[in-house]
């Protein structure tokens, strides 16, 4: 087996949200083919318990503590320069020293970088095959944030969008390949960085369809006699906070007025004070972290993903589809997912459409039909084995240095 250096901006475990799902499955896949040297950050105390689990997939690993508050201060001090703040946030001398040590003593010829922030550690190593998984076009996400915030945050976010795009384009030119989470995301970046278009590709996120399977038996976590609309996700992530706040205040009251037995459950770790406050509204429950998301999906009537800011593929949508759930999504949450609207999921463009489509689902027998076709789509197009075969093709291309 050959040696491979793998860098991630957050420990790739547990695979229970967004970036960790993708980075973990990539790590596990790489470990079957390479001796993996992993460099990563840990930004929450609870994640240190997973250090030994992650080491099982690695020849060697370096875990670096990242203090979010200190990192934010350090990044803000970089406002006077021309680098994206993201680079300062994740810049660390200990990790750089470890990477130099590994590359000096091991025959590293392949490097995989997960997220643009980690490219700074290897942009000086041109003699290796370097692949960056940008996942999303993060610069465009900052642009979206800027449009929804007032000054001074709007200015900071606009600055980050501009400088991060310049950096993304620079890295794409230097590296052998750039990958994204969907064909649409890759297409957007090709437009932004046409010089690197031929080296830009994608591999979809997948779903562990054995884990997210309706064939298992799950206890019902909801109150008896209630039909539930469920939203799942990390509830300290601003896009999720915005989505559930919008839905709870503008969509759900009309559904509740028409169907008093319906509840809206917001399921996910670290709910902000704003999210916690939604539990004061009639029929809304905020669970916080749960040990297993699957019972909440299995016993919900409908899953919703009313995201107004989104990039890439939404794992929450794929997981609900794998569990036979009809999912009602916004246009933004639909991006990057190849599914047939009206047959495999439901797309709603505004408040009235969300209300109408959810009430139709609650009053009809379409739920099981849409749910089955949704899972069939996942089994066809969104398994990890199928998705990661595209990544294997990049690592198997001839490399001459």
């Amino acid at each position: 087996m050959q040696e491979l250096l793998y860098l991630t901006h957050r420990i790739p475990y547990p695979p229970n949200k967004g970036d960790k799902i993708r980075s973990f499955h990539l790590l596990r896949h790489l470990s079957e083919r390479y001796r993996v040297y992993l460099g990563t950050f840990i930004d929450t105390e609870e994640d240190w318990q997973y250090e030994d689990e992650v080491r099982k997939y690695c020849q060697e690993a370096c875990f670096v503590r990242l203090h979010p508050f200190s990192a934010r201060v350090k990044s803000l001090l970089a406002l006077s320069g021309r680098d994206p703040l993201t680079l300062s946030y994740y810049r660390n001398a200990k990790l750089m020293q470890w990477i130099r040590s590994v590359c000096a003593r091991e025959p590293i010829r392949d490097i995989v970088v997960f997220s643009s922030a980690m490219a700074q550690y290897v942009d000086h190593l041109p003699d290796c095959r370097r692949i960056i998984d940008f996942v999303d076009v993060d610069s465009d996400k900052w642009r979206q944030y800027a449009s929804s915030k007032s000054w001074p945050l709007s200015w900071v976010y606009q600055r980050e969008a501009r400088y991060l795009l310049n950096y993304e384009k620079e890295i794409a030119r230097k590296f052998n390949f750039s990958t994204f989470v969907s064909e649409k995301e890759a297409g957007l970046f090709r437009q932004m960085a046409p010089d690197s278009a031929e080296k830009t590709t994608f591999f979809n996120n997948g779903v562990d369809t054995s884990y997210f399977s309706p064939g298992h038996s799950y206890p019902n976590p909801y109150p008896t006699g209630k039909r539930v609309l469920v939203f799942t996700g990390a509830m300290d992530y601003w896009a999720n906070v915005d989505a559930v706040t919008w839905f709870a205040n503008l969509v759900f009251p009309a559904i509740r007025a028409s169907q008093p037995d319906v509840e809206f459950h917001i399921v996910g770790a670290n709910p902000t004070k704003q999210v916690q406050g939604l539990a004061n509204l009639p029929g809304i429950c905020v669970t916080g972290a749960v040990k297993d998301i699957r019972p909440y999906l299995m016993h919900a009537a409908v899953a919703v993903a009313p995201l107004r800011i989104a990039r890439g593929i939404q794992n929450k949508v794929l997981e609900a589809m794998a569990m036979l759930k009809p999912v009602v999504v916004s246009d933004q949450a639909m991006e990057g997912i190849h599914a047939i609207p009206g047959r495999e999921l439901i797309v709603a463009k505004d408040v009235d459409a969300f209300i109408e489509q959810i009430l139709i689902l609650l009053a009809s027998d379409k739920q099981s039909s849409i749910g089955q076709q949704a899972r069939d789509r996942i089994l066809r197009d969104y398994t990890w084995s199928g998705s990661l075969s595209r990544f294997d093709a990049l690592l198997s291309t001839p490399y001459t240095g």
Side-chain angles (χ1 to χ4, degrees), residues 12-13 33 54 102 104 152 157 178 203 211 225 251 262 293 366 375:
Y13 201 86
R33 294 156 176 79
V54 172
V102 168
Y157 292 168
S178 301
F203 66 98
Y211 184 81
V251 177
V262 175
I293 201 74
K366 291 176 59 178
R375 181 168 172 84

Side-chain angles (χ1 to χ4, degrees), residues 247-260 351-352 355-356 359:
F247 187 86
N249 286 303
L250 298 180
V251 177
F252 184 66
I255 295 171
R256 176 84 170 178
S258 174
Q259 305 288 332
V351 170
D352 290 340
I355 294 170
E356 178 184 5
L359 288 176

Side-chain angles (χ1 to χ4, degrees), residues 27 31 50-59 61 63:
L27 170 62
S31 71
Y50 305 117
E51 185 177 351
D52 289 341
E53 181 64 28
V54 172
R55 287 189 188 277
K56 295 177 182 178
Y57 301 96
C58 305
Q59 180 73 15
F63 300 91

Side-chain angles (χ1 to χ4, degrees), residues 101-118:
S101 172
V102 168
C103 291
R105 58 186 161 81
E106 303 294 342
I108 301 291
R109 290 294 176 267
D110 292 291
I111 297 174
V112 177
V113 174
F114 187 91
S115 85
S116 58
M118 304 304 288

Side-chain angles (χ1 to χ4, degrees), residues 151-373:
W151 192 91
L153 280 180
S154 61
W155 177 82
V156 174
Y157 292 168
Q158 287 170 356
R159 178 197 181 279
E160 185 68 359
R162 184 169 64 255
Y163 287 132
L164 186 55
L165 176 58
N166 290 339
Y167 185 68
E168 289 169 340
K169 292 163 70 173
E170 175 188 347
I171 291 303
R173 285 193 300 269
K174 289 182 176 181
F175 280 42
N176 298 88
F177 296 103
S178 301
T179 65
F180 289 86
V181 74
S182 69
E183 185 175 12
K184 186 167 186 176
E185 203 77 358
L188 172 63
F189 190 72
R190 290 189 194 104
Q191 295 175 14
M192 294 176 163
D195 293 346
S196 303
E198 292 185 357
K199 302 189 295 180
T200 300
T201 185
F202 73 97
F203 66 98
N204 288 326
N205 269 13
V207 179
D208 185 339
T209 53
S210 295
Y211 184 81
F212 287 99
S213 169
H216 302 300
S217 178
Y218 307 100
N220 188 347
Y222 299 126
T224 302
K226 299 296 183 180
R227 291 180 294 168
V228 172
L229 313 178
V230 67
F231 178 97
T232 62
M235 294 319 305
D236 55 354
Y237 180 48
W238 187 72
N240 288 344
V241 174
D242 175 76
V244 298
T245 301
W246 178 85
F247 187 86
N249 286 303
L250 298 180
V251 177
F252 184 66
I255 295 171
R256 176 84 170 178
S258 174
Q259 305 288 332
D261 66 318
V262 175
E263 294 187 347
F264 177 39
H265 284 238
I266 301 167
V267 182
N270 304 317
T272 63
K273 289 184 178 180
Q274 183 178 352
V275 174
Q276 293 176 33
L278 298 177
N280 296 321
L281 300 176
I284 296 181
C285 174
V286 178
T287 69
V290 297
K291 290 184 177 180
D292 191 342
I293 201 74
R294 293 172 297 175
Y296 294 86
L297 290 172
M298 170 62 77
H299 292 283
V302 178
V304 297
L307 291 149
R308 301 192 297 169
I309 297 174
R311 286 257 55 90
I313 288 180
Q314 297 299 315
N315 293 298
K316 59 175 64 68
V317 175
L318 300 181
E319 290 166 357
M321 291 173 67
M323 295 287 290
L324 293 179
K325 287 297 106 178
V327 191
V328 182
V329 303
S330 61
D331 284 333
Q332 293 90 331
M334 174 71 176
E335 285 190 7
I337 297 178
H338 289 286
I340 301 174
R343 183 181 301 175
E344 297 166 344
L345 47 63
I346 304 296
V347 180
K349 297 181 180 298
D350 53 27
V351 170
D352 290 340
F354 263 96
I355 294 170
E356 178 184 5
Q357 293 299 332
I358 290 171
L359 288 176
I360 289 174
L361 283 173
L362 292 173
S364 72
D365 58 0
K366 291 176 59 178
Q367 296 180 31
S368 60
S369 173
I370 292 176
Q372 184 59 60
Q373 292 182 84

